[in-house]
Amino acid sequence: MSSSAAPSPSHDDQDHDGKDHVEQGHDDQDHAGQGHGAHDGHEGHVGHGHGGEGQAADPCAGPARGLWSVDEHLADILATVGPLEPIELQLLDAQGCVLVEDVTVPVALPPFDNSSMDGYAVRVADVAGATEEFPAVLTVIGDVAAGDGGLPTVGPGQAARIMTGAPLPPGAEAVVPVEWTDGGTGGGAATGMTAASAAPEGASGEVRVHRAAEAGAHVRERGSDVRAGELALSAGTVLGPPQIGLLAAIGRGTVRVRPRPRVVVMSTGSELVQPGEPLGEGQIHDSNSFALAAAARDAGALAYRVGAVADDAESLRATIEDQLIRADLIVTTGGVSVGAYDVVKEALTADGQVDFRKLAMQPGKPQGFGAIGAEQIPLLALPGNPVSSYVSFELFVRPAIRALMGVEDLHRPRVRAELAAGRALSSPAGRRQFLRGTYDPEAGTVSPVGGAGSHLIAALAHADCLLVVPEETESVEPGTELEVVLLG
């Protein structure tokens, strides 16, 4: 190992360096336990019972094994967590959800020929050759506004004053914008229309048209967006604002989707204090639960942030039991290492439902995974150091959330980039290291931010990626190409 390499910490994942607190309630939705209506059975949690529980043949299973690799731990999680059962939701409730059926267009969009401009609906022959010097003079037979039903018929030598979005009246073949006319004033080119309530006479009289118009000019034809019977959205589409808008436009009030997973996040530690409250001796503000609840929301979940649990196994068991009713996934942070007050491990190992294991990674060596309660709700127990918990979330919890959602792309995008650093970076032998960094896509380089310590939350706040140093690499020289996980 190069003597110039930055030293790595000897014990990166002590769990009580920065565990966190939260106020009982929610950070995303306010309806505890009713986020998905009929979504109570958790049928999507297929095959719960983590690797090792009744699966002795599984090469990744068993409490007696040594270090797990990052890939083995993730594979164990994804083999257990499956998509949630579909439900029917109102459109706005379906935002962020995954569509489970193809949606076809029941009626053409737009459903009728309509004007794309404020102006006059005319016959093409009547305005042929019109100029400012020799305008076409037409009789105005009335107004056509958006939403109007009974439409006037435009005959030879006539025009109907028409508004944007209004249906093209019978007989009309084109729309001339009001700016191409005198607006019925008898003067020069108009700049707009006076409100109908203020000048009702604008719907009658004569209008002088100063330009010719081709057939279909400024007309949005029926079905020009989508035609009846066409595919509007395919199964697997994540519904964002444009997709919600399309569904509304074609008349869908509800849609069948996989609901957004309900993720309960809780920190453990008697030292944790709610942000905004004064610190006593030996206390710290809870940050993990805020970061992880935000990360869960960012991944597409409904996040519920629970008040920090003191270092008491019975209190933790009771809190978890209380949260099961509104959870598709539970995430704890802290209490998974080897200390005398690591209560998550103490509370959840007794019944064998959660397996606590050591991973060949830095930060984030101690991890827990299993399924709890009658509905076998998956639980991921993360380390308590802020960086350890966040890195663990990105690697393990985010893919689990995406799997529950039923999306195909579970993982953050990854790229290759050259290390831009003033000296070599060190990495512990046999451990996959994840360092915080900033990625420059134009230069194709990545620069480390802060040190390797798992408590350095300030550096994490300035990072937009994770540098991945493989298990077999102990020193990384500047200019070396590395895998980079993009976080933004």
Side-chain angles (χ1 to χ4, degrees):
M1 184 181 301
S2 171
S3 60
S4 64
S8 58
S10 59
H11 194 182
D12 64 317
D13 287 316
Q14 293 297 332
D15 281 333
H16 291 292
D17 291 348
K19 296 180 304 182
D20 302 344
H21 159 100
V22 182
E23 160 182 349
Q24 174 67 33
H26 68 281
D27 234 15
D28 195 277
Q29 291 288 339
D30 169 355
H31 41 282
Q34 60 182 26
H36 306 316
H39 168 222
D40 293 327
H42 308 285
E43 296 92 334
H45 305 142
V46 294
H48 280 313
H50 56 283
E53 188 173 331
Q55 301 178 23
D58 184 350
C60 293
R65 63 171 290 161
L67 291 179
W68 290 59
S69 72
V70 172
D71 298 332
E72 288 171 341
H73 183 57
L74 178 60
D76 189 30
I77 294 168
L78 296 181
T80 300
V81 176
L84 297 171
E85 284 296 303
I87 59 174
E88 193 83 12
L89 288 178
Q90 298 288 326
L91 289 188
L92 289 181
D93 293 331
Q95 183 175 352
C97 297
V98 176
L99 193 63
V100 297
E101 60 186 2
D102 290 345
V103 175
T104 56
V105 181
V107 294
L109 190 65
F112 48 83
D113 293 348
N114 68 90
S115 177
S116 66
M117 303 286 286
D118 294 325
Y120 292 85
V122 299
R123 296 161 60 97
V124 172
D126 290 337
V127 296
T131 64
E132 288 192 27
E133 185 178 0
F134 299 104
V137 181
L138 305 176
T139 300
V140 180
I141 60 172
D143 276 352
V144 182
D148 277 356
L151 303 176
T153 298
V154 177
Q158 296 179 334
R161 194 168 67 161
I162 192 168
M163 313 305 152
T164 301
L168 191 70
E173 300 166 310
V175 172
V176 290
V178 66
E179 293 87 354
W180 293 8
T181 75
D182 66 353
T185 63
T191 58
M193 294 181 182
T194 304
S197 59
E201 65 276 8
S204 59
E206 290 183 338
V207 63
R208 288 167 172 75
V209 180
H210 302 149
R211 295 193 205 178
E214 296 180 354
H218 305 111
V219 175
R220 297 183 288 220
E221 292 184 357
R222 180 179 185 272
S224 57
D225 191 351
V226 286
R227 299 187 180 279
E230 288 184 348
L231 180 66
L233 296 171
S234 57
T237 300
V238 178
L239 300 181
Q243 293 76 30
I244 296 292
L246 174 58
L247 289 167
I250 63 174
R252 288 291 295 262
T254 64
V255 67
R256 191 162 178 79
V257 296
R258 297 195 190 278
R260 295 168 64 191
R262 300 164 298 172
V263 177
V264 172
V265 176
M266 65 181 73
S267 293
T268 63
S270 299
E271 76 279 18
L272 299 176
V273 175
Q274 171 78 13
E277 297 179 2
L279 294 176
E281 187 173 353
Q283 293 181 323
I284 58 173
H285 285 124
D286 175 21
S287 63
N288 282 1
S289 63
F290 284 89
L292 298 187
R297 259 199 275 185
D298 182 67
L302 299 173
Y304 297 93
R305 192 177 53 84
V306 179
V309 182
D311 290 323
D312 176 76
E314 281 304 317
S315 295
L316 177 61
R317 274 192 289 265
T319 301
I320 291 176
E321 181 67 28
D322 184 57
Q323 294 299 317
L324 290 176
I325 191 173
R326 64 170 181 176
D328 297 308
L329 176 67
I330 290 181
V331 180
T332 67
T333 172
V336 297
S337 192
V338 295
Y341 290 87
D342 285 327
V343 296
V344 174
K345 197 170 183 179
E346 177 187 354
L348 299 178
T349 50
D351 54 12
Q353 290 182 301
V354 177
D355 179 31
F356 290 87
R357 52 190 67 160
K358 295 179 180 179
L359 272 58
M361 65 180 285
Q362 182 191 60
K365 182 178 179 181
Q367 301 281 339
F369 171 61
I372 59 174
E375 300 290 347
Q376 291 290 276
I377 306 301
L379 181 146
L380 286 124
L382 311 183
N385 275 304
V387 176
S388 300
S389 67
Y390 182 73
V391 169
S392 299
F393 182 97
E394 288 291 339
L395 298 179
F396 308 124
V397 182
R398 183 183 176 90
I401 290 173
R402 307 288 286 176
L404 287 167
M405 291 175 65
V407 298
E408 293 184 5
D409 189 7
L410 303 182
H411 305 287
R412 292 280 198 184
R414 299 191 177 212
V415 297
R416 305 285 297 182
E418 289 187 1
L419 175 65
R423 57 174 181 166
L425 303 179
S426 69
S427 187
R431 307 273 288 279
R432 188 179 303 181
Q433 189 175 43
F434 296 88
L435 297 170
R436 283 75 70 202
T438 55
Y439 172 59
D440 184 341
E442 293 186 2
T445 60
V446 63
S447 304
V449 176
S454 56
H455 64 292
L456 301 176
I457 192 170
L460 179 63
H462 296 284
D464 60 15
C465 66
L466 297 175
L467 293 70
V468 184
V469 182
E471 290 87 340
E472 67 276 9
T473 301
E474 296 183 49
S475 181
V476 184
E477 296 293 331
T480 302
E481 190 177 76
L482 291 173
E483 185 177 47
V484 177
V485 181
L486 302 181
L487 300 178

